[in-house]
Every structure is written in C-alpha cells, then in structure tokens.
Amino acid sequence: MNEVVTRQKLLNDVREVMHDAEILVKESAGNLGERARDVQERLTARISSLREYLGEREDRLADRAVGGVQDVDRIVRDHPYQAVGVGVVFGVLLGALLSRR
C-alpha cells in the first residue's frame, strides 16, 4: 500500500512539473528567438510524450490495485472464519494498544 501511495505522489508531482512547464512554454512563446523556439518545440513534444507515458503507467497501477483488492476479496470469501479471526485478533491488539494511552 505504501508503494502505491509513493507512486501516486510521484505521478502527482510529475504532473505538476509538466503543468508548470506548459505554462512557461506558453507564456514565453512570443519573446523567443529561433533557437529558443526549437527548444520550445522539443520541450512541448517531450511533455506530450511524458503525459502519454504517465497515462499508461497510471492505468497499470490502477489495474494492479484492483487486482490486489480482488485477491483479498477472494481469500476472504474462501476462508471466512480465518478472516474473521484475524480481524478479531487485530481488533484486540489495537484496542490494547489504544487503552494504554
């Protein structure tokens, strides 16, 4: 779960950087020389490419998360008493830890 959160945070950070880069490219479009326009075009192309790549990665990440949830659901349905037992033990341990404070 922590890996999923970390990846999601990374995706969000990269999206913010891409958004900022797009704003920078658009705002500086009128004040550029020929060489700078070439750089602007390359940057715009790379941003588009990165956006496509992130979209694919996000889809894969979502598929993995759904697959994990389905696996847990299947395990709980296959072993309901064991799942309830684990839940009870976890609840008792959590209650004991919270009651100490």
Side-chain angles (χ1 to χ4, degrees), residues 19-32 40 43-44 47 51:
H19 179 71
D20 292 344
E22 286 177 331
I23 290 172
L24 179 64
V25 167
K26 288 177 184 176
E27 288 181 359
S28 63
N31 304 327
L32 299 177
Q40 178 189 22
L43 181 59
T44 302
I47 288 172
R51 177 172 281 126

Side-chain angles (χ1 to χ4, degrees), residues 28-47:
S28 63
N31 304 327
L32 299 177
E34 186 61 34
R35 182 156 163 73
R37 286 190 209 288
D38 291 340
V39 172
Q40 178 189 22
E41 290 173 6
R42 282 188 286 160
L43 181 59
T44 302
R46 288 196 181 180
I47 288 172

Side-chain angles (χ1 to χ4, degrees), residues 2 8 15 25 30 39 42 46 48-52 62 79-81 89 98:
N2 191 14
Q8 189 62 39
R15 278 195 195 106
V25 167
V39 172
R42 282 188 286 160
R46 288 196 181 180
S48 297
S49 174
L50 184 57
R51 177 172 281 126
E52 214 174 284
H79 308 286
Y81 296 114
V89 169
L98 292 175

Side-chain angles (χ1 to χ4, degrees), residues 84-97:
V84 169
V86 168
V88 168
V89 169
F90 180 74
V92 167
L93 291 174
L94 185 62
L97 287 174

